[in-house]
Amino acid sequence: MVQNYHRDAAGHLRWRTAETEGGPGLPPSSRAIISPYDTSARYARHGHIISWKGFAAHLTETCAPDGPNVITDVATTAATTHDSQVLPGIHTLLSRRGLLPAEHLVDAGYTSLPHLEQAAREHRVTVTGPLRSNPTRQHRRNEGFARDDFHIDYDHQQVTCPQGQVSQGWHGPYPTSSPTAAPLIVARFTKSQCQPCPARTQCTTSRESTRTVAFPPRELRDLQLRVRAEQQTPEWKARYAVRSGVEGTVNEFAHGHGMRRCRYRGQGKAHIQHVLTAIAINIERLSGLAPPEETPTPRRPTAFQNYLDQREIPRLKSWRTLGS
């Protein structure tokens, strides 16, 4: 735990804090040792509610309506590893075992635009999950001209604004600071174009009164627009509702088999624990199947589903609610 101390200007040993004036501050979570019992454990936090110390487990399972729900892969990472960074490795392992799905349903944490393209190109897997919306201020507030209001001409490397002005600069693509984000092309408009514009206040609040528009390369841009359009359709929403079933599997791991308590030290041994737990769950599920000559018993609805039904509150149908 030496990293939690530092020597001040007088040479005295002091405890590191984020607020230490003139001090080195705390190390980043990816390097900070948070347990004297396991120096490879890390601290992670999702939002303002969920936080933990240790590792993260990523589960993949089948969800076909005509077969058992079997766990096909378990990935164990440091708690600070972003979900989207794990997806390419999961696809590689599934490919080696011949278990790649045609469509992989994931939550929003895994839907990095470059990885969606990579999965389709390298493994012919369609990754289905909510893709982050346009991050511009105008789009978030639903006021003014957002990026999608500009016409992008990749062939002539020009961008035309809603007022008809054509950009005077085209640079990139540049890599972004995030390893999971797409590279960006930046188009710039000049002061002489933006300052006299009557719609300038709807477009930019920059002190220089100019607008820059950043967007991914053509292949990624086309994929981004197509996925965002598909997400608004009822067919996509009904198909994606099936993904909710894996939340029950995560709960089974955590509360039914104690996955949130590491029985061994180190990420490697924690991964073995996760794999053995997945094998045990698969055995339980397969052993509970009805013989082929018998009609399978429908899965019983959960207490929450019964609560909704009793009050006639509509709920989406998914593979977890067959027969209910």
Side-chain angles (χ1 to χ4, degrees):
M1 306 298 286
V2 175
Q3 66 174 207
N4 290 326
Y5 295 88
H6 75 102
R7 293 191 179 277
D8 60 15
H12 299 137
L13 200 61
R14 303 293 185 186
W15 180 261
R16 289 178 186 254
T17 65
E19 296 79 17
T20 302
E21 183 177 355
L26 296 174
S29 295
S30 59
R31 296 204 308 266
I33 298 174
I34 49 87
S35 170
Y37 306 104
D38 189 346
T39 57
S40 62
R42 294 294 180 264
Y43 171 81
R45 182 175 181 176
H46 284 185
H48 299 287
I49 301 175
I50 302 175
S51 64
W52 74 97
K53 299 175 181 178
F55 309 99
H58 308 263
L59 308 179
T60 305
E61 69 175 351
T62 60
C63 57
D66 56 350
N69 310 315
V70 179
I71 299 172
T72 57
D73 185 77
V74 181
T76 305
T77 66
T80 53
T81 301
H82 194 274
D83 291 345
S84 60
Q85 294 180 268
V86 184
L87 197 58
I90 292 175
H91 287 160
T92 299
L93 292 175
L94 290 174
S95 177
R96 291 175 184 173
R97 305 189 196 110
L99 297 175
L100 272 175
E103 183 178 33
H104 199 167
L105 306 177
V106 300
D107 69 20
Y110 296 88
T111 52
S112 162
L113 185 60
H115 291 156
L116 264 64
E117 186 276 334
Q118 181 182 357
R121 173 171 42 84
E122 296 184 358
H123 302 291
R124 297 183 181 179
V125 173
T126 300
V127 176
T128 299
L131 194 62
R132 184 185 176 192
S133 61
N134 192 325
T136 60
R137 171 184 57 82
Q138 294 86 347
H139 181 84
R140 293 195 310 269
R141 298 181 181 179
N142 196 25
E143 59 183 24
F145 300 135
R147 183 177 63 188
D148 294 341
D149 296 319
F150 290 73
H151 174 70
I152 302 172
D153 186 345
Y154 285 94
D155 294 328
H156 296 90
Q157 295 189 346
Q158 292 177 336
V159 175
T160 304
C161 80
Q163 296 297 306
Q165 295 289 338
V166 178
S167 63
Q168 300 300 308
W170 178 289
H171 308 281
Y174 298 116
T176 56
S177 57
S178 171
T180 61
L184 293 177
I185 297 171
V186 179
R188 302 181 184 277
F189 294 86
T190 64
K191 290 183 179 180
S192 60
Q193 291 175 302
C194 294
Q195 283 184 342
C197 179
R200 179 170 57 85
T201 56
Q202 296 178 265
C203 188
T204 179
T205 57
S206 170
R207 293 181 179 179
E208 307 224 345
S209 303
T210 61
R211 178 69 185 264
T212 60
V213 182
F215 47 90
R218 184 192 303 229
E219 296 78 9
L220 295 180
R221 174 67 172 168
D222 292 344
L223 175 63
Q224 185 182 62
L225 294 176
R226 177 172 59 80
V227 171
R228 285 178 177 171
E230 288 178 352
Q231 289 176 183
Q232 307 306 315
T233 63
E235 295 79 12
W236 186 94
K237 294 178 181 179
R239 193 170 74 249
Y240 184 68
V242 177
R243 194 214 66 86
S244 63
V246 79
E247 300 297 341
T249 299
V250 172
N251 184 72
E252 188 175 358
F253 252 78
H255 299 287
H257 297 271
M259 185 183 67
R260 288 179 177 163
R261 180 178 180 273
C262 286
R263 294 171 174 80
Y264 312 97
R265 295 189 179 97
Q267 181 174 321
K269 292 182 179 180
H271 177 62
I272 294 176
Q273 175 186 337
H274 296 163
V275 171
L276 293 176
T277 303
I279 293 173
I281 290 177
N282 282 344
I283 292 175
E284 288 179 354
R285 292 180 177 181
L286 294 174
S287 63
L289 291 177
E293 62 274 9
E294 296 183 11
T295 303
T297 303
R299 183 188 295 271
R300 295 178 58 186
T302 65
F304 181 63
Q305 291 166 353
N306 285 332
Y307 175 86
L308 296 179
D309 293 341
Q310 291 169 4
R311 287 156 179 78
E312 299 182 352
I313 301 175
R315 58 181 173 85
L316 293 175
K317 297 293 183 180
S318 72
W319 60 283
R320 285 293 187 193
T321 60
L322 291 176
S324 61

